[in-house]
Amino acid sequence: VHRKPQPDPLPRDVTTHPPRAAARLRDGRDARPRHVRFADQLRATAASGGSPLRPEQAEQIVELFDVLFPLLSVGTTPLAIGLVNRYAGREHAYLGAVVCLSCAFGLTQLAPSFGPQLVAAVLFGPARTLQWACYFHFLASPSRYPPAAMGRVVGYANLVIALFGDLPPSLLDAYIQHGAFPSDVPSRYVAAHAVLMTAVALLSAALPLQLLAARRAAEGRLL
């Protein structure tokens, strides 16, 4: 008697099948939002072996993250609005705040243990909300870009963000899974994260520093 195959009672996602989620990332087939990927990374780090973060601890953080992410993101919105309105003429100030908060998130996520990962889960929502609010406010400044060019500027900028956000992960995952140095997967993950964070921090800090220098030069010419 041939029986009709029964569907899986549980969805085959990273919650129940971390290796399959990792395969999706390697094959470039994962288009889920970044807050979902953050939870995936926690589970993958705990399941990789050799990490101080245990799977049950990762699940505790993910459960808390599922509650805190929307609440803190919404709660950060009025703070972000107040920040960009207060420093509307001093873009270096609110962009500097974005760099500092993003670096704090990256540093806490760098350590694969319970305490730092918990802090990273708390910082994720506020950091991303502030990033996007300041990003769009900066691009929407009439003194920087004419209104007629605003759509093209945002479109090109988002295309660059998408390319840098979606293309390199497959190469990084190949290094983390099969690289020769360091010798274990968690160490290669930390090494790749540290190099990327250093590069992103330096590149991100360059813009507010350049804006600050330009502002001081303009003030010097007015004196």
Side-chain angles (χ1 to χ4, degrees):
V1 178
H2 296 284
R3 294 184 178 180
K4 184 179 179 180
Q6 296 297 315
D8 259 350
L10 295 176
R12 292 182 176 273
D13 60 2
V14 70
T15 306
T16 53
H17 300 278
R20 300 187 185 188
R24 285 200 303 270
L25 288 171
R26 286 195 296 272
D27 297 341
R29 292 181 279 120
D30 195 351
R32 289 169 298 170
R34 291 195 179 276
H35 69 277
V36 178
R37 297 184 192 180
F38 173 75
D40 292 352
Q41 290 173 0
L42 279 174
R43 293 185 174 109
T45 300
S48 63
S51 171
L53 185 67
R54 300 192 301 273
E56 60 270 20
Q57 292 178 321
E59 288 302 324
Q60 291 176 6
I61 296 176
V62 169
E63 290 177 3
L64 183 63
F65 174 74
D66 289 340
V67 176
L68 290 181
F69 171 68
L71 293 179
L72 293 179
S73 297
V74 173
T76 306
T77 301
L79 299 178
I81 295 173
L83 181 67
V84 296
N85 287 336
R86 180 185 178 102
Y87 298 102
R90 292 178 285 174
E91 293 102 335
H92 65 276
Y94 64 74
L95 291 176
V98 170
V99 173
C100 291
L101 188 57
S102 299
C103 288
F105 167 74
L107 284 172
T108 53
Q109 194 186 20
L110 186 60
S113 54
F114 181 78
Q117 293 294 328
L118 179 61
V119 176
V122 173
L123 292 177
F124 183 90
R128 289 194 62 78
T129 300
L130 187 62
Q131 282 178 351
W132 284 109
C134 294
Y135 164 75
F136 283 113
H137 187 273
F138 179 78
L139 294 183
S141 175
S143 62
R144 189 162 300 281
Y145 301 105
M150 192 62 59
R152 292 194 300 273
V153 170
V154 173
Y156 292 144
N158 287 351
L159 176 61
V160 172
I161 292 173
L163 290 175
F164 277 93
D166 294 334
L167 291 181
S170 59
L171 300 176
L172 291 171
D173 186 76
Y175 160 72
I176 292 171
Q177 296 297 327
H178 309 293
F181 181 82
S183 59
D184 57 283
V185 170
S187 297
R188 288 195 294 270
Y189 171 80
V190 172
H193 195 138
V195 171
L196 285 175
M197 183 191 153
T198 301
V200 170
L202 293 175
L203 292 173
S204 300
L207 178 58
L209 290 175
Q210 187 272 333
L211 292 172
L212 177 60
R215 179 181 176 83
R216 288 180 174 175
E219 291 175 347
R221 288 193 296 268
L222 292 176
L223 294 178

